[in-house]
């Protein structure tokens, strides 16, 4: 218990403005995400697999949201975004940043520490330096629109060059037309304004942050679509993907059989009989191209749940 208290004490110390560090250490991020048992980035963030992130693109927001709520994670979705390319889907790993209204003494501490660490440029560029391929820059800038623009097209190009992704900002951007022209870049933002960032300060990188209704930790897996954004704890990503893919397969089978008139809606929408389960397995054998996972993964998954 004592070790646990000390560890969380270190983490909480990162949440207040202090000169000692701008971002938690790798060990502190590991302590913040203890349920993740897999690979980690050099900075300590969980590093979910690229394959799962690719499969995540095919998951409906409602399915991911529902699975997380059933696991007790009730606050992982935020909607009502302005999306630069609304018909695109973005998945990736969260690099978080927290912004606050400017307070000169605290801002000086942050900037002095950044200079001592060799950080270059304005603080709103520092989270970009952290990005690796597959990362998404996620920032809470408390919904500030006018004078709250975290990036324009110059920084947008830098973000895409490092991450091959885009941004999710609880705030605004400038040069939105220039951002639209960056092939592959996308952004979920709360607004646009031509002004420059003013009276704001960066208070930390890779800290837990709030994004409207959601709490986001560094390394969370992100599913961003035109309807909103789901922030998935890294240790739950595989479960979310497999469950959602299985739901999609069940739905595809059920819809087909309903169109054929083989079963009634009541039969499909309740616990399946052994006859329907057998029919489903035969349907899977006849439609291997519909499987987003391997058959081995699917068989193992079905052994572990009631369907």
């Amino acid at each position: 218990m004592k070790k646990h208290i000390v560890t969380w004490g270190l983490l909480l110390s990162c949440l207040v403005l202090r000169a000692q560090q701008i971002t938690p250490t790798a060990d502190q991020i590991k302590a913040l995400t203890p349920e993740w048992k897999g690979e980690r980035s050099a900075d300590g963030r969980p590093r979910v697999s690229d394959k799962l992130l690719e499969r995540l693109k095919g998951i409906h927001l409602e399915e991911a949201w529902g699975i997380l709520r059933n696991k007790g994670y009730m606050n992982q979705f935020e909607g009502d975004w302005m999306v630069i390319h609304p018909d695109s889907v973005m998945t990736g790993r969260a690099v978080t940043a927290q912004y606050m209204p400017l307070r000169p003494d605290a801002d000086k501490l942050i900037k002095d520490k950044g200079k001592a660490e060799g950080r270059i440029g304005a603080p709103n560029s520092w989270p970009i330096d952290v990005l690796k391929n597959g990362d998404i820059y996620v920032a809470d800038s408390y919904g500030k629109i006018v004078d709250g623009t975290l990036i324009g097209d110059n920084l947008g190009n830098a973000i895409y060059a490092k991450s091959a992704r885009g941004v999710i900002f609880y705030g605004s951007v400038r040069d939105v037309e220039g951002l639209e022209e960056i092939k592959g870049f996308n952004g979920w933002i709360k607004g646009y304004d031509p002004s420059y960032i003013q009276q704001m300060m960066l208070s930390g990188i890779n800290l837990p942050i709030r994004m409207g209704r959601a709490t986001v930790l560094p390394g969370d897996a992100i599913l961003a679509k035109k309807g909103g954004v789901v922030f998935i704890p890294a240790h739950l990503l595989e479960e979310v993907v497999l469950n959602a893919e299985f739901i999609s397969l069940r739905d595809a089978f059920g819809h087909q059989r309903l169109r054929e008139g083989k079963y009634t809606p009541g039969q499909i929408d309740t616990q399946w009989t052994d006859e329907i389960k057998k029919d489903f397995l035969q349907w899977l054998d006849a439609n291997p191209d519909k499987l987003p996972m391997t058959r081995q993964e699917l068989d193992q998954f079905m052994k572990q749940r009631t369907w």
Side-chain angles (χ1 to χ4, degrees):
M1 177 62 74
K2 184 176 180 181
K3 181 179 179 182
H4 179 75
I5 293 172
V6 170
T7 300
W8 275 97
L10 288 170
L11 288 169
L12 290 172
S13 73
C14 295
L15 302 178
V16 297
L17 293 168
R18 44 194 306 253
Q20 286 84 345
Q21 58 192 102
I22 292 169
T23 186
T25 66
D27 284 341
Q28 288 170 340
I29 292 178
K30 289 176 184 177
L32 183 64
T33 55
E35 295 188 65
W36 173 253
K37 307 303 181 185
E39 181 184 356
R40 291 181 180 268
S41 301
D43 58 14
R45 288 179 300 128
R47 193 182 190 286
V48 297
S49 76
D50 291 331
K51 288 183 179 179
L52 281 176
L53 288 176
E54 187 62 29
R55 285 163 60 179
L56 184 61
K57 291 179 180 179
I59 304 305
H60 292 176
L61 291 171
E62 289 79 6
E63 292 168 354
W65 174 84
I67 294 163
L68 289 173
R69 284 176 67 88
N70 287 337
K71 299 291 292 184
Y73 288 77
M74 312 292 283
N75 305 298
Q76 301 306 128
F77 174 81
E78 171 64 15
D80 191 25
W81 299 94
M82 172 182 170
V83 186
I84 293 177
H85 297 291
D87 292 329
S88 297
V89 179
M90 184 169 69
T91 63
R93 309 173 189 92
V95 165
T96 63
Q98 179 74 62
Y99 291 85
M100 292 183 178
L102 180 68
R103 173 171 165 149
D105 54 351
D107 187 48
K108 183 177 185 302
L109 288 175
I110 291 291
K111 288 179 176 176
D112 286 349
K113 179 57 179 173
K115 184 177 180 180
E117 293 178 352
R119 297 180 188 267
I120 300 172
N124 65 313
S125 71
W126 296 351
I128 301 172
D129 297 332
V130 174
L131 296 172
K132 305 295 182 187
N133 189 277
D135 288 338
I136 296 175
Y137 178 10
V138 184
D140 176 17
S141 50
Y142 54 93
K144 186 176 181 182
I145 306 300
V146 179
D147 297 336
T149 54
L150 297 184
I151 64 167
D153 59 351
N154 285 337
L155 292 183
N157 273 287
I159 289 166
Y160 189 76
K162 293 181 71 69
S163 68
R165 297 295 193 276
V167 302
I168 301 173
F169 290 164
Y170 205 87
S172 63
V173 300
R174 67 188 310 274
D175 279 332
V176 72
E177 291 177 81
L179 293 171
E180 288 175 339
E181 294 172 358
I182 303 172
K183 187 175 181 180
F185 178 91
N186 208 349
W188 278 251
I189 57 179
K190 291 297 178 177
Y192 153 78
D193 199 79
S195 58
Y196 289 92
I197 185 171
Q198 295 185 68
Q199 291 299 308
M200 295 177 70
M201 64 182 187
L202 175 72
S203 58
I205 301 170
N206 278 333
L207 304 175
I209 62 173
R210 173 185 172 183
M211 296 293 282
R213 296 160 53 186
T215 297
V216 186
L217 268 59
D220 277 357
I222 293 169
L223 172 60
K225 293 190 170 185
K226 62 182 177 183
V229 182
V230 178
F231 302 94
I232 304 169
H235 68 281
L236 293 177
L237 176 61
E238 185 173 13
E239 186 171 352
V240 167
V241 169
L242 282 170
N243 269 280
E245 288 175 341
F246 181 73
I247 291 169
S248 180
L249 284 172
R250 273 184 53 120
D251 287 346
F253 166 79
H255 295 165
Q256 180 176 328
R257 290 297 188 252
L258 287 171
R259 289 192 299 269
E260 294 168 348
K262 185 168 184 176
Y263 304 117
T264 68
Q267 289 175 299
I268 290 296
D269 288 342
T270 56
Q271 181 68 34
W272 285 357
T273 64
D274 289 341
E275 177 189 354
I276 297 177
K277 290 179 181 179
K278 182 178 179 181
D279 187 20
F280 178 59
L281 292 174
Q282 292 172 343
W283 180 85
L284 291 174
D285 289 336
N287 295 275
D289 58 309
K290 295 184 183 295
L291 270 62
M293 73 285 277
T294 67
R295 185 58 189 263
Q296 183 180 5
E297 283 181 307
L298 178 58
D299 289 343
Q300 184 64 31
F301 177 82
M302 290 190 292
K303 288 179 183 178
Q304 298 172 350
R305 60 164 286 162
T306 302
W307 54 277

